[in-house]
Amino acid sequence: MSDPKVEKEAGSTEPATEPAQAPAPEPEKKKREYKEFGHDEEEKPTHAKVDMSQIQLKAEDLYDKEKVDLETIVVDDVFKLLQCDENGLTDEEATRRLELFGPNKLESEEQNPILQFLSFMWNPLSWVMEAAALVAIALSNGEHRPPDWEDFVGIVTLLLINSAIGFYEERNAGNAVKALMDSLAPKAKVKRAGQWREIESSLLVPGDIISFKIGDIVPADCRLIEAVNVSIDQAALTGESLPQSKKLGDQCFSGSTCKQGEAEGVVISTGPNTFFGRAANLVGQDDDTTGHLQKILAQIGSFCLVVIGIFVLAEIFCLYAGFRYSYRRGLDNILVLLIGGIPIAMPTVLSVTLAVGAQQLAKYKAIVTRITAIEELAAVTILCSDKTGTLTTNKLTIDRDTVRTYGPFSAEDVILLAAYASRTENQDAIDQCIVGALGDPSRARAGIKLLDFKPFNPVDKRTEITYREESTGKLKRVTKGMTGIIIELCTRNKTEELEARLESDVEEFAQRGLRALAVAYEELDGDDPEAEGNGFELIGLLAIFDPPREDTKQTIDDALALGVKVKMVTGDQLAIAKETGRRLGLGDHMYPAKVLKDGPEPGSRFRNLDEMILDADGFAGVFPEHKYEIVKRLQALGHLCAMTGDGANDAPALSRANVGIAVEGATDAARSAADIVLTEPGLSTIVHAIRGSRIIFQRMRNYAIYACAVTIRIVVCFSILAFAFKFDFPPFMVLIIALLNDGTIMTLSVDRVLPSNSPDSWDLAEIFAFALAYGLYLTLSTVALVAIAIRTTWFFDKFGVTLHNGAHQAVDHNDPQLHAIVYLQVAIISQALIFVTRSHGFFFMERPSVALFCAFCVAQLVSSIIAAYGNWGFTNIEAVSGGWIGIVWIWDIVWFVPLDWIKFAMKATIIKRLRARHHAAVAAQASQTAETGVPMTRTTSRAASVHESLYSNRVSFLRRAARKVGFGQKISMKPEELQRFSSIQAARTGSVLARHPSRPTA
């Protein structure tokens, strides 16, 4: 963000002893020479070779540059062709043209809500459930029994509920993100009916007169009708590295940036008809699916499918070949594994968690434009932050205590005279801070009569005012600007001693992070304001600085506490960067950007450049290519990097970073390249986003452990029961368990969890190890219950409870009341597992969200009611007594308590070894990449395999919201294509107006 400021600021801190150039000629002369240079290469304007009184362009005319070439025809013909004048369009005509041409933004394809809803059922896990539904309705016809309608309806209901929840949350999140993006809608200054006003640029139409100045984005394709030292950066469109000078009559393209000067133009094309829009349509939309999370989903899904597949095959061989089960009986057992083992809600839960996460980050004014950024931000280890506007306020201030004076004037006099030499309207940052220092801006013109004012320009690097002092009637002149320029003008008091003192003061300012602005003064004899004065006298040196934001130091401390090291990356001078780093507690191990090319100096404590970059607290004098190099090398050392940026030229570094962050006030090009767009200034928003992303990551990790554990618990448990006791659990009751589980688990997306104090990453070996331990333990709890009920009369002896027909034990292994007991036991303890997986310590030490706790209570109440009153003959269960319900609750509580100890034992043994092995592997990889120089690559947007690509992540709501406000459009076209394109687009505009004229055809 500092680059534009460095270009504009008159007060550089460079020493005054730099090689002096010849005295700067008068600005008027420079302008004349500049124009003459431009005219030398200017082609003579031509006229359109059509009858301008009857604008009837035909189809073949659109590509015929011999007739109409909007790049070279005179501007008068452009006005005739577009049926407008320099006073702009009337409101009525603008409204008519808006309906005719459409809004000035790229068209976005609206997704069919029905297809969006059904897309939640399109992944391998859902396919298994859909296959189970087909098995229940199509393959269950046999042995004189009707199709299994109950299971079929239950499975379809489960799929529809999952899709409905995901659809609802995604739409809500999409609306929240879009609302925040709409607040960033670009504005345009337009003349309507002779009056200038500011409107949303989407309301511009061909024929509008627009105005833009330095720093503005050109809102639509236009021809210039006024141009003052205009320079346009078209790098985002054409790849041209240097800004292009524009003169009267030249064309400027939508999306380019004005780097210098002021201009007015007539709009010739808007929206999809602009160069930007046409090129974007040619390129098409990137498929922003999230490859990394897809990979995780695919691996977890594969784990579950492999477990299910193994036990399904085991049941087929054991039940049919070994036990000689009938066709339907064996099929029901297989359905139990398919329905209960598939974590059908996993894609929906994770996508809802991410969607809700995006919505929550939007509350911190952070727009997520790439959904994986939430997950990757949780793993970031180094944050490379811009200085200006992010670490500092980006509001220049005069430090009154350090003003240096060199003549008879006091510090307050120097500030007042500097304010005279400042603009009071259309101010740049320097003029604004100087005039603001007076307290009352009217003092900048009080008691004087302005005769001549020369504003700042990048060539002269100073401003100048000639005025008449009303109290004395004398003519005086004041100039302020870059110290090296001003001291060359000072002929009256310029001495070696003064220059040495000035150089010393400037160096002191630089060491303290202050910018120096020199002020000089002269008097004029006579009444001619253009006459030479009696010679400038250096009267003072102002200290200007950009103070750190109030919250920055605390925010940096918070980032360090989260395990994220902050490195300052600034275009400012090294001394300024060091001083800012010291004030913020970042440290002052700052290096100039040239070390990235030259490497560490011989004899330094660094063996190579990578060590130096890793040790550095920041870099100064940085250009965009340096940012890219810093990120690339840090990634090669095994770090995940976040990089902030604000300009179109930051796009390569933002794209290269694991998480590219466009700071508040960034250009559209930077926003398009970034993964996260901030709408509030400061570093605190980024740290909030890091903390928020870790909370979201913890929710996803907790659910992943839970889902895998329940898969193992259901599949292994009911397979063992079938093998050991020929126990046939009803498939419909597994559906009820899955339905209640999914309803509860959806609330994990808003669960209250503690973020990790160190960067997060997916370790699937750790997840599967936890899942295996929990799953086998819960299996044991159910098998023990069934074994006691079948083999002994212990429950009758101790509690006096009986089973079907008063049996003291389950002589019939498929006793319908035993089915209800097993249902209740499995439902309660399986769902209670989530309270163990979501906590780091004892489950009761971390309070869950109200939504999760209430959902659990409701689900278990429903389960208990089903066990108490569910006399469902179609699914072979029978209601049990209250005594059995109490026994099952106590049984589950007794078995639940040791789960925390299992978690601690796993952490102390297996998980500890897995983490040590993982850290060793990461260190080895970092060492290898440091030696070979092979950089780590960021996660790609497309899945690496067909299997992974089937796990579609829910990012369409982000893409749609982004397209509606023009984000995410990355295009490129060769410069030679521009000229041909320009004539085509405006000719098409003219032909549309010809078919819908605003005036009678002659």
Side-chain angles (χ1 to χ4, degrees):
M1 294 176 66
S2 55
D3 291 348
K5 281 217 165 300
V6 172
E7 178 186 74
K8 272 205 69 178
E9 292 205 351
S12 171
T13 57
E14 293 181 8
T17 56
E18 65 183 19
Q21 298 180 357
E26 288 298 315
E28 291 83 2
K29 184 177 179 182
K30 289 193 173 186
K31 291 180 182 177
R32 285 198 298 273
E33 287 179 355
Y34 177 77
K35 290 182 178 179
E36 287 171 3
F37 175 78
H39 290 318
D40 289 341
E41 299 183 359
E42 182 180 316
E43 295 182 6
K44 188 176 180 181
T46 61
H47 287 273
K49 299 180 181 178
V50 293
D51 186 350
M52 299 304 292
S53 64
Q54 300 185 44
I55 307 173
Q56 296 289 341
L57 295 180
K58 300 176 182 177
E60 57 268 21
D61 295 334
L62 300 184
Y63 295 91
D64 190 351
K65 293 179 68 175
E66 294 298 320
K67 289 186 176 181
V68 180
D69 186 349
L70 263 284
E71 179 72 15
T72 58
I73 65 173
V74 294
V75 176
D76 288 344
D77 281 2
V78 175
F79 280 115
K80 291 179 181 178
L81 185 68
L82 300 180
Q83 303 174 15
C84 60
D85 58 40
E86 292 186 355
N87 288 321
L89 304 172
T90 63
D91 289 335
E92 295 77 11
E93 177 64 11
T95 303
R96 188 183 78 89
R97 295 193 182 196
L98 187 62
E99 295 175 357
L100 190 61
F101 292 100
N104 179 36
K105 57 183 179 182
L106 298 187
E107 296 173 349
S108 59
E109 181 182 351
E110 291 293 335
Q111 185 174 0
N112 187 316
I114 297 175
L115 294 179
Q116 183 185 359
F117 175 80
L118 294 177
S119 67
F120 281 88
M121 302 184 194
W122 191 253
N123 60 72
L125 298 178
S126 295
W127 294 345
V128 175
M129 290 296 284
E130 289 152 14
L134 291 176
V135 167
I137 196 66
L139 299 183
S140 294
N141 294 312
E143 302 176 0
H144 307 291
R145 289 170 60 186
D148 195 349
W149 285 104
E150 296 85 1
D151 288 343
F152 173 77
V153 172
I155 294 171
V156 171
T157 301
L158 187 61
L159 287 167
L160 291 176
I161 288 174
N162 270 302
S163 296
I165 294 173
F167 175 79
Y168 173 77
E169 291 293 351
E170 181 178 295
R171 298 287 282 197
N172 277 357
N175 292 338
V177 172
K178 180 183 177 299
L180 199 53
M181 285 182 171
D182 285 341
S183 68
L184 297 178
K187 305 289 185 182
K189 191 174 181 182
V190 62
K191 183 186 282 188
R192 294 269 174 89
Q195 299 294 321
W196 287 105
R197 66 183 76 168
E198 187 176 67
I199 63 172
E200 288 190 13
S201 58
S202 61
L203 301 179
L204 289 177
V205 295
D208 265 331
I209 305 299
I210 58 173
S211 170
F212 51 87
K213 61 183 184 301
I214 182 169
D216 289 347
I217 304 293
V218 180
D221 287 7
C222 62
R223 285 283 301 275
L224 298 184
I225 57 176
E226 280 191 25
V228 181
N229 291 336
V230 176
S231 179
I232 300 291
D233 180 6
Q234 300 179 159
L237 304 177
T238 65
E240 296 164 305
S241 57
L242 296 176
Q244 304 297 304
S245 296
K246 298 289 184 179
K247 58 185 181 299
L248 186 69
D250 281 351
Q251 183 171 17
C252 294
F253 295 105
S254 172
S256 53
T257 307
C258 181
K259 288 293 187 182
Q260 181 182 330
E262 298 179 6
E264 293 179 14
V266 55
V267 175
I268 63 172
S269 197
T270 59
N273 296 314
T274 61
F275 165 70
F276 186 98
R278 293 284 185 185
N281 288 337
L282 289 174
V283 174
Q285 299 293 336
D286 288 337
D287 183 18
D288 188 22
T289 51
T290 54
H292 190 234
L293 195 56
Q294 281 184 327
K295 186 175 181 180
I296 300 302
L297 274 170
Q299 290 175 327
I300 295 175
S302 298
F303 174 82
C304 296
L305 291 173
V306 166
V307 171
I308 293 168
I310 290 172
F311 282 90
V312 165
L313 289 175
E315 283 204 346
I316 290 173
F317 284 109
C318 184
L319 301 185
Y320 286 120
F323 297 160
R324 303 295 178 182
Y325 269 25
S326 64
Y327 172 71
R328 284 294 294 270
R329 186 179 178 188
L331 201 61
D332 284 347
N333 277 277
I334 291 172
L335 273 177
V336 168
L337 303 192
L338 292 178
I339 297 170
I342 290 293
I344 180 61
M346 185 176 71
T348 304
V349 170
L350 295 186
S351 63
V352 166
T353 301
L354 288 172
V356 171
Q359 197 171 358
Q360 290 172 339
L361 289 180
K363 294 178 182 177
Y364 291 118
K365 306 301 181 184
I367 303 174
V368 181
T369 61
R370 183 173 65 90
I371 200 79
T372 312
I374 294 176
E375 175 209 0
E376 292 186 2
L377 188 59
V380 162
T381 54
I382 292 178
L383 170 63
C384 298
S385 175
D386 211 8
K387 177 181 76 72
T388 310
T390 305
L391 299 177
T392 61
T393 61
N394 196 21
K395 292 181 180 178
L396 297 181
T397 306
I398 290 182
D399 190 349
R400 293 177 178 272
D401 297 333
T402 58
V403 175
R404 300 287 189 265
T405 58
Y406 305 99
F409 296 93
S410 67
E412 289 299 320
D413 291 337
V414 171
I415 295 175
L416 179 62
L417 289 173
Y420 286 168
S422 303
R423 277 183 164 182
T424 55
E425 297 178 354
N426 297 322
Q427 298 168 315
D428 61 18
I430 297 287
D431 290 349
Q432 189 174 17
C433 85
I434 293 175
V435 174
L438 296 178
D440 181 6
S442 63
R443 289 182 58 201
R445 292 293 179 266
I448 65 171
K449 182 179 180 181
L450 174 65
L451 301 178
D452 184 45
F453 187 87
K454 295 175 183 177
F456 173 87
N457 66 72
V459 177
D460 296 330
K461 293 183 172 59
R462 67 186 181 94
T463 64
E464 182 181 289
I465 184 174
T466 305
Y467 63 94
R468 185 185 303 277
E469 194 172 52
E470 293 179 349
S471 60
T472 62
K474 291 184 178 180
L475 295 187
K476 299 182 179 181
R477 184 175 291 144
V478 178
T479 183
K480 73 176 192 321
M482 180 178 172
T483 51
I485 299 292
I486 298 300
I487 192 63
E488 291 298 321
L489 298 175
C490 296
T491 56
R492 288 183 61 193
N493 65 341
K494 180 181 175 183
T495 63
E496 287 293 330
E497 180 184 355
L498 180 68
E499 286 194 83
R501 183 181 166 195
L502 178 65
E503 181 181 354
S504 174
D505 289 339
V506 169
E507 182 62 27
E508 180 191 345
F509 282 2
Q511 290 174 356
R512 297 179 58 185
L514 306 174
R515 299 173 187 268
L517 188 73
V519 183
Y521 161 89
E522 71 173 354
E523 295 184 354
L524 284 75
D525 296 327
D527 293 327
D528 183 6
E530 296 185 2
E532 292 289 335
N534 61 359
F536 278 107
E537 174 185 356
L538 182 67
I539 61 171
L541 192 69
L542 299 180
I544 296 178
F545 72 112
D546 182 10
R549 300 177 62 84
E550 292 181 359
D551 62 341
T552 299
K553 192 175 189 311
Q554 181 60 48
T555 302
I556 290 174
D557 293 341
D558 292 344
L560 293 173
L562 291 171
V564 179
K565 180 173 175 57
V566 180
K567 293 182 184 291
M568 183 196 303
V569 180
T570 178
D572 254 333
Q573 298 177 31
L574 181 60
I576 296 175
K578 285 187 174 183
E579 178 65 20
T580 305
R582 282 192 288 267
R583 292 186 184 190
L584 295 175
L586 272 178
D588 57 2
H589 290 177
M590 306 277 181
Y591 302 101
K594 68 178 183 179
V595 303
L596 297 171
K597 180 181 179 182
D598 302 339
E601 295 180 358
S604 71
R605 60 192 177 97
F606 302 112
R607 292 179 301 172
N608 52 46
L609 179 57
D610 288 337
E611 284 189 4
M612 178 180 259
I613 291 178
L614 206 54
D615 173 79
D617 296 316
F619 295 90
V622 168
F623 288 105
E625 57 269 24
H626 298 138
K627 285 188 175 183
Y628 184 90
E629 181 69 17
I630 292 168
V631 170
K632 179 179 175 183
R633 287 186 174 272
L634 286 172
Q635 287 175 331
L637 293 170
H639 291 277
L640 269 73
C641 294
M643 171 66 79
T644 66
D646 70 326
N649 49 8
D650 289 327
L654 294 177
S655 296
R656 174 75 197 191
N658 298 88
V659 181
I661 301 171
V663 297
E664 189 266 342
T667 62
D668 288 348
R671 290 171 181 167
S672 296
D675 305 312
I676 294 177
V677 178
L678 305 182
T679 59
E680 278 193 354
L683 192 67
S684 59
T685 306
I686 301 174
V687 176
H688 277 309
I690 291 174
R691 189 178 287 109
S693 68
R694 292 190 184 174
I695 289 174
I696 295 161
F697 183 91
Q698 287 298 319
R699 291 169 181 160
M700 293 194 295
R701 179 182 177 275
N702 296 342
Y703 174 73
I705 295 174
Y706 170 82
C708 293
V710 168
T711 293
I712 294 171
R713 184 261 193 286
I714 295 289
V715 172
V716 177
C717 173
F718 289 114
S719 295
I720 290 176
L721 291 178
F723 299 155
F725 304 110
K726 296 185 180 179
F727 183 81
D728 304 330
F729 193 70
F732 187 79
M733 299 314 296
V734 172
L735 263 176
I736 299 297
I737 292 173
L739 192 61
L740 292 175
N741 269 2
D742 290 354
T744 302
I745 296 307
M746 288 295 173
T747 59
L748 270 182
S749 61
V750 292
D751 187 26
R752 182 187 289 109
V753 296
L754 296 176
S756 169
N757 287 326
S758 58
D760 290 312
S761 62
W762 286 101
D763 189 340
L764 292 179
E766 185 177 316
I767 288 173
F768 295 153
F770 272 124
L772 198 61
Y774 294 144
L776 293 178
Y777 176 79
L778 295 184
T779 294
L780 183 61
S781 73
T782 305
V783 172
L785 177 69
V786 174
I788 293 173
I790 290 177
R791 301 294 190 195
T792 72
T793 60
W794 187 78
F795 288 115
F796 174 76
D797 297 339
K798 294 293 183 182
F799 307 105
V801 291
T802 60
L803 294 169
H804 184 62
N805 293 330
H808 295 178
Q809 66 185 91
V811 178
D812 178 6
H813 293 185
N814 287 302
D815 187 306
Q817 287 195 348
L818 183 58
H819 286 166
I821 292 167
V822 171
Y823 158 75
L824 184 60
Q825 192 273 336
V826 170
I828 293 173
I829 200 166
S830 296
Q831 206 169 97
L833 175 65
I834 191 60
F835 295 111
V836 175
T837 64
R838 65 173 295 279
S839 59
H840 297 282
F842 287 105
F843 76 93
F844 53 82
M845 298 297 290
E846 296 178 24
R847 184 163 59 93
S849 67
V850 174
L852 177 60
F853 184 74
C854 290
F856 172 79
C857 292
V858 169
Q860 299 322 310
L861 177 62
V862 172
S863 295
S864 299
I865 291 173
I866 290 174
Y869 299 102
N871 290 301
W872 298 341
F874 68 89
T875 190
N876 196 25
I877 73 162
E878 186 177 305
V880 297
S881 65
W884 270 116
I885 293 175
I887 289 169
V888 171
W889 270 97
I890 294 171
W891 180 273
D892 279 347
I893 290 171
V894 169
W895 281 86
F896 176 79
V897 171
L899 278 170
D900 273 333
W901 295 102
I902 292 175
K903 174 172 63 182
F904 300 147
M906 288 290 293
K907 286 183 177 179
T909 56
I910 297 174
I911 302 304
K912 184 177 181 180
R913 284 197 293 270
L914 287 174
R915 287 179 177 173
R917 189 178 68 180
H918 175 71
H919 292 155
V922 170
Q925 183 182 21
S927 175
Q928 180 182 358
T929 53
E931 293 174 4
T932 60
V934 178
M936 291 173 63
T937 56
R938 67 180 292 179
T939 55
T940 56
S941 64
R942 296 185 184 277
S945 69
V946 174
H947 180 213
E948 291 166 12
S949 68
L950 296 175
Y951 288 82
S952 175
N953 291 298
R954 317 308 310 171
V955 294
S956 57
F957 73 95
L958 290 173
R959 292 202 301 273
R960 290 194 305 277
R963 286 201 296 269
K964 285 179 180 177
V965 290
F967 285 4
Q969 312 298 332
K970 302 179 180 68
I971 64 169
S972 180
M973 186 174 283
K974 295 179 180 178
E976 53 265 26
E977 293 293 324
L978 295 179
Q979 190 171 8
R980 173 178 172 274
F981 180 80
S982 63
S983 61
I984 296 170
Q985 59 182 4
R988 283 180 174 162
T989 300
S991 66
V992 173
L993 284 174
R995 292 194 300 271
H996 303 82
S998 57
R999 62 171 183 250
T1001 304

